[in-house]
Amino acid sequence: MVAEAAVGSPKRGTANGVAAGPVPPGGGGRGRRARRVRSCLRANLLVLLTLAGVAAGAAVGLAMANWAPRLSQEHLVAFSFPGELLLRLLRLIILPLVVCSLVGGAASLDPASLGRMGGWALLFFLLTTLLASALGVGLAFVLRPGVGTQAPGAQDAQLPQTKSVLDSFLDLFRNIFPDNLVAAAFRSYSTKYQQNVTNITLTEPCENEEMNILGLVMFSMVLGVTLRKMGAEGELLIRFFNSFNEATMIMVSWIMWYAPVGIMFLIAGKIVEMENASQLFASLGKYVCCCILGHILHGLLVLPLIYFVITRKNPYRFLWGIVPALATAFGTSSSSATLPLMMECVEERNGVSKHVSRFILPIGATVNMDGAALFQCVAAVFIAQLNNVPLTFVQVITILITATASSVGAAGIPAGGVLTLAIILGAISLPTKDISFILAVDWLVDRFCTIINVEGDAFGAGLLQCYVDHNEVDLGSLGPELAEVKDDASVVPLSPEADPLILKMVKSGSPSGDTNTCEKESVM
């Protein structure tokens, strides 16, 4: 205590123990507030720049709307070129992101190392993700946020040829199991019809110039499981894919620092091309409301209902215990930044043991993406409605499969949900250029996605604790399994969903101010 006083005295305006003068009243408080404001601005710099890009794009587009009839097509293309670069960069990163993230994610989730408890947890996460995807598609069809607004160029889009249900399902499975992996990187399979001289309709195999996302997803997941089954011999290749994945995520973080500029020109170009910009803004507002409503229904009804049916306990009391973590998730838009505080909440407020929380929460942060899957499904249907493209039953099934499967290896990276949306659009042959509308409001929707992702992880920990209590599982038996998870975490590290400044904030300290943050993150 004496040493602390001696060390602390010079900080209160003393020199060698002699008072140097009174401290101005409120001076220290103003300094702390200024430091907090600067820290908040640094942590949310990318969000602020994105908002500025959206506002500037809307202002420039509305200002140039009167000049649109005088501009030639070449002028419009040149004006929108910085935004086109952003979309090209995002499409560029899709292939390595899909392959590397899914291989690493599947390799880190070997059921033999996770045990029966881990298997039940994975089943819960995948089931809730599928339910969230179905809820998103259903809401988008009911509320129809994109109906009544035509995207630029939609009138020139060719509607897909109507196919029989049998051929549609056969094409779905042909794409899931491609015969040429290299060709799957830039071609997909589709059956088309033609009539011969006797007017007999014949089926003709045809390859579209589009990436076969479903085939790449299936191959990557099978390869990851295979490498894990190989043991030590496959470890080197797993590390290669994980290193490649980390390099890809760093590249994405660089791309996202260019995103505010690209978004500004994308929005301005779309407004100049559209005849009724106010109708576009109204549709975007309906899209945001549709996403938020879906997240509210999933977070306050679906997840609590599953928890109540299995545990017969009050789910809203459990939900009240993790409110601080949910608030942090909304503020940071990062599951990784929320993970230490989530562990503290479920352990101290909801009675989940440390073995269970530190075993399942890092897995959920990698696998469970309920909020992102819901928003991607709403966005896919929204873009289809903007382009007046009616979705068939098989295309809806493809959306659900792609959104659920891609969540297994989805990394928490900047615009990770938007990248997965580009994958879904490619799987159902929709144009990716309209992702610019989603990017304009992603800064808001992504925060609700993070809340649902974090809430799903917490309910998964609560259900696993109930399983342990009812079956009297010896928590000591989790030791080897937990060690396996920690080893995998060192190979497949979790990455923040926000910009690199969030990562710096997480490394420097816990959002909750907990001094044991480093110890908790080492468990991840």
Side-chain angles (χ1 to χ4, degrees):
M1 298 293 292
V2 177
E4 291 177 1
V7 173
S9 58
K11 297 180 181 179
R12 295 191 297 268
T14 62
N16 298 326
V18 180
V23 178
R30 284 196 297 269
R32 285 192 296 270
R33 284 194 295 271
R35 285 193 296 272
R36 291 196 192 100
V37 171
R38 287 195 296 268
S39 176
C40 181
L41 291 177
R42 285 196 300 268
N44 296 279
L45 180 60
L46 184 58
V47 176
L48 296 176
L49 290 176
T50 303
L51 287 175
V54 172
V60 172
L62 292 175
M64 293 187 60
N66 296 329
W67 295 84
R70 306 178 186 179
L71 298 177
S72 64
Q73 185 64 29
E74 290 78 9
H75 290 151
L76 292 176
V77 171
F79 179 71
S80 303
F81 182 71
E84 180 187 347
L85 277 182
L86 175 61
L87 295 180
R88 294 179 67 88
L89 290 173
L90 292 176
R91 288 195 295 264
L92 169 68
I93 217 72
I94 288 176
L95 180 60
L97 181 68
V98 169
V99 175
C100 297
S101 63
L102 284 177
V103 170
S108 66
L109 298 175
D110 181 23
S113 64
L114 296 178
R116 181 181 299 177
M117 294 174 58
W120 282 112
L122 292 181
L123 179 61
F124 166 75
F125 289 148
L126 293 179
L127 175 62
T128 56
T129 303
L130 183 60
L131 289 176
S133 302
L135 177 61
V137 171
L139 282 176
F141 276 117
V142 171
L143 300 180
R144 302 193 298 173
V147 173
T149 302
Q150 193 174 49
Q155 62 273 14
D156 299 327
Q158 295 182 354
L159 297 181
Q161 186 178 12
T162 303
K163 294 189 294 186
S164 67
V165 176
L166 176 61
D167 285 334
S168 298
F169 271 103
L170 291 178
D171 287 347
L172 176 64
F173 284 99
R174 289 187 184 110
N175 286 318
I176 291 177
F177 302 101
D179 57 356
N180 190 324
L181 183 63
V182 177
F186 51 87
R187 289 179 183 173
S188 61
Y189 189 92
S190 177
T191 298
K192 291 187 177 180
Y193 301 116
Q194 64 176 358
Q195 290 183 336
N196 58 9
V197 293
T198 59
N199 291 328
I200 298 177
T201 302
L202 302 175
T203 59
E204 177 188 10
C206 180
E207 289 185 342
N208 299 324
E209 295 296 329
E210 298 169 351
M211 188 183 302
N212 183 2
I213 298 297
L214 292 177
L216 295 175
V217 167
M218 175 60 68
F219 175 81
S220 301
M221 295 179 65
V222 173
L223 178 60
V225 173
T226 303
L227 292 175
R228 174 56 64 188
K229 292 295 183 182
M230 292 174 62
E233 295 181 358
E235 189 67 26
L236 182 62
L237 199 52
I238 293 176
R239 290 181 180 273
F240 165 77
F241 279 108
N242 287 317
S243 298
F244 202 162
N245 188 33
E246 286 300 310
T248 303
M249 289 189 289
I250 293 174
M251 293 173 62
V252 173
S253 68
W254 293 345
I255 293 174
M256 291 314 298
W257 285 107
Y258 172 71
V261 178
I263 289 174
M264 181 183 73
F265 285 96
L266 279 173
I267 293 178
K270 296 293 184 183
I271 293 177
V272 170
E273 294 176 13
M274 295 198 68
E275 298 179 357
N276 191 349
S278 61
Q279 199 172 31
L280 172 62
F281 291 137
S283 294
L284 278 177
K286 290 170 62 178
Y287 159 74
V288 173
C289 292
C290 186
C291 289
I292 295 177
L293 177 61
H295 290 138
I296 292 175
L297 292 177
H298 190 73
L300 295 182
L301 293 179
V302 177
L303 291 177
L305 181 61
I306 295 175
Y307 180 84
F308 172 76
V309 169
I310 296 177
T311 65
R312 299 297 179 180
K313 296 180 180 179
N314 187 351
Y316 299 104
R317 181 176 299 175
F318 185 93
L319 197 60
W320 179 255
I322 60 173
V323 166
L326 299 181
T328 303
F330 182 83
T332 62
S333 189
S334 170
S335 299
S336 299
T338 310
L339 190 53
L341 181 59
M342 176 58 70
M343 289 181 176
E344 178 183 343
C345 289
V346 298
E347 291 169 8
E348 297 183 3
R349 293 187 166 204
N350 292 331
V352 177
S353 66
K354 291 183 178 181
H355 287 81
V356 171
S357 68
R358 302 185 187 193
F359 170 72
I360 201 60
L361 289 181
I363 298 175
T366 303
V367 177
N368 187 40
M369 299 290 171
D370 295 1
L374 190 150
F375 125 77
Q376 291 155 9
C377 292
V378 173
V381 179
F382 171 70
I383 291 177
Q385 293 170 351
L386 283 180
N387 290 274
N388 297 326
V389 176
L391 294 176
T392 64
F393 177 74
V394 174
Q395 286 178 314
V396 172
I397 297 298
T398 303
I399 292 175
L400 297 178
I401 294 175
T402 309
T404 304
S406 60
S407 68
V408 174
I413 57 176
V418 175
L419 286 174
T420 308
L421 174 60
I423 295 171
I424 297 174
L425 295 179
I428 58 176
S429 303
L430 284 177
T432 57
K433 58 183 178 62
D434 293 329
I435 290 181
S436 56
F437 299 128
I438 308 303
L439 284 171
V441 294
D442 183 64
W443 60 272
L444 175 61
V445 175
D446 184 59
R447 296 178 182 273
F448 289 93
C449 293
T450 307
I451 290 178
I452 300 303
N453 294 341
V454 169
E455 180 186 342
D457 298 344
F459 274 119
L463 290 174
L464 193 59
Q465 182 64 45
C466 179
Y467 173 84
V468 170
D469 295 338
H470 287 182
N471 294 276
E472 298 181 354
V473 177
D474 183 13
L475 292 179
S477 63
L478 282 177
E481 297 174 355
L482 186 57
E484 291 287 342
V485 174
K486 288 196 294 184
D487 291 340
D488 289 340
S490 64
V491 178
V492 190
L494 298 176
S495 302
E497 291 179 354
D499 56 87
L501 295 174
I502 295 291
L503 177 60
K504 182 178 179 182
M505 179 184 70
V506 176
K507 289 182 178 179
S508 61
S510 167
S512 62
D514 190 358
T515 58
N516 295 327
T517 302
C518 297
E519 178 186 354
K520 292 179 181 178
E521 291 184 344
S522 65
V523 180
M524 295 186 283

